[in-house]
């Protein structure tokens, strides 16, 4: 156990989280496998990722998408070009992580995390309906995390993303 920056608990269990929660770099099949092993279906998985509407995502969680996606020496082609530019500006002058983003941040000190750069999940401005802006952003290839954007890669999950984007009451 280590001291946490969380406001909902005094403790954090990074090893447990690293093993139990899908990585920000996971593709849809890995995400679905992880959630379905716990009894969640496509709708519930898409719903559970909706809280990514709030908070800050540290650059190390998505830096690989900006310049060298999957060792291609190019950015992730699924990112909207305007968002790509914003992400690059936000994370300028940050060294790429030497290990996986999840492990490099789980071992970081609280002071390091407080001082690291990141993107606000509601970078387009706070929406009036919790989650709606997040899902709408995904429909326009503007998901910050690869795992989030992957929700539009499958027909069933994409249908739920569209439904939540168009009807905030449904979410």
């Amino acid at each position: 156990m280590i001291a946490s920056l969380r406001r909902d608990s005094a403790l954090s269990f990074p090893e447990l989280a690293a093993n139990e929660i899908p990585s920000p770099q996971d593709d849809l099949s890995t995400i679905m496998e992880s959630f379905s092993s716990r009894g969640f279906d496509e709708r519930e998985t898409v719903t559970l990722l909706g809280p990514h509407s709030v908070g800050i995502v540290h650059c190390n969680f998505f830096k690989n998408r900006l310049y060298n996606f999957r060792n291609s020496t190019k950015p992730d082609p699924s990112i909207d070009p305007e968002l790509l530019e914003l992400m690059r500006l936000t994370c300028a002058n940050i060294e790429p992580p030497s290990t996986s983003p999840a492990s490099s941040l789980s071992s970081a000190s609280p002071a390091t995390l407080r001082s690291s750069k990141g993107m606000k999940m509601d970078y387009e401005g706070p929406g009036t309906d919790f989650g709606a802006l997040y899902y709408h952003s995904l429909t326009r290839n503007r998901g910050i995390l690869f795992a989030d954007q992957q929700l539009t890669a499958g027909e069933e999950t994409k249908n739920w993303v569209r439904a939540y984007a168009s009807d905030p009451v449904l979410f």
Side-chain angles (χ1 to χ4, degrees), residues 93-133:
N93 302 318
I94 294 179
E95 291 295 319
S98 57
T99 61
S100 73
S103 66
S104 66
L105 284 177
S106 67
S107 63
S109 71
T112 300
L113 289 177
R114 277 193 299 272
S115 66
S116 66
K117 291 184 180 182
M119 290 270 306
K120 285 185 167 186
M121 289 303 285
D122 62 349
Y123 64 92
E124 295 186 280
T128 56
D129 296 302
F130 178 76
L133 189 58

Side-chain angles (χ1 to χ4, degrees), residues 129 132 161-171:
D129 296 302
V161 167
R162 287 179 180 159
Y164 289 151
S166 65
D167 186 357
V169 175
L170 183 62
F171 173 66

Side-chain angles (χ1 to χ4, degrees), residues 49-69:
L49 290 175
H52 283 177
S53 301
V54 296
I56 294 176
V57 179
H58 296 277
C59 295
N60 283 350
F61 281 115
F62 59 83
K63 179 107 176 145
N64 65 318
R65 297 184 74 199
L66 307 182
Y67 301 101
N68 191 24
F69 181 67

Side-chain angles (χ1 to χ4, degrees), residues 1-166:
M1 288 185 296
I2 62 170
S4 171
L5 295 176
R6 298 175 59 147
R7 292 185 172 93
D8 63 341
S9 177
L11 300 174
S12 179
F13 302 91
E15 297 82 16
L16 181 62
N19 293 326
E20 299 291 325
I21 299 173
S23 162
Q25 284 75 32
D26 282 347
D27 62 16
L28 183 60
S29 63
T30 304
I31 294 165
M32 291 310 306
E33 183 179 306
S34 176
F35 280 96
S36 67
S37 72
R38 289 164 181 79
F40 296 108
D41 63 17
E42 287 88 351
R43 179 183 183 177
E44 293 165 327
T45 299
V46 172
T47 303
L48 286 170
L49 290 175
H52 283 177
S53 301
V54 296
I56 294 176
V57 179
H58 296 277
C59 295
N60 283 350
F61 281 115
F62 59 83
K63 179 107 176 145
N64 65 318
R65 297 184 74 199
L66 307 182
Y67 301 101
N68 191 24
F69 181 67
R70 298 199 169 158
N71 297 316
S72 68
T73 69
K74 296 179 182 180
D76 179 349
S78 73
I79 300 176
D80 171 80
E82 289 180 14
L83 177 61
L84 175 63
E85 184 62 27
L86 177 61
M87 292 167 76
R88 283 179 169 174
L89 288 171
T90 300
C91 297
N93 302 318
I94 294 179
E95 291 295 319
S98 57
T99 61
S100 73
S103 66
S104 66
L105 284 177
S106 67
S107 63
S109 71
T112 300
L113 289 177
R114 277 193 299 272
S115 66
S116 66
K117 291 184 180 182
M119 290 270 306
K120 285 185 167 186
M121 289 303 285
D122 62 349
Y123 64 92
E124 295 186 280
T128 56
D129 296 302
F130 178 76
L133 189 58
Y134 165 78
Y135 293 112
H136 184 67
S137 295
L138 296 181
T139 66
R140 297 181 354 222
N141 293 326
R142 295 179 64 87
I144 296 171
L145 298 174
F146 180 71
D148 288 346
Q149 193 60 57
Q150 282 289 288
L151 294 178
T152 62
E155 201 58 42
E156 181 77 16
T157 55
K158 187 178 198 175
N159 288 338
W160 284 112
V161 167
R162 287 179 180 159
Y164 289 151
S166 65

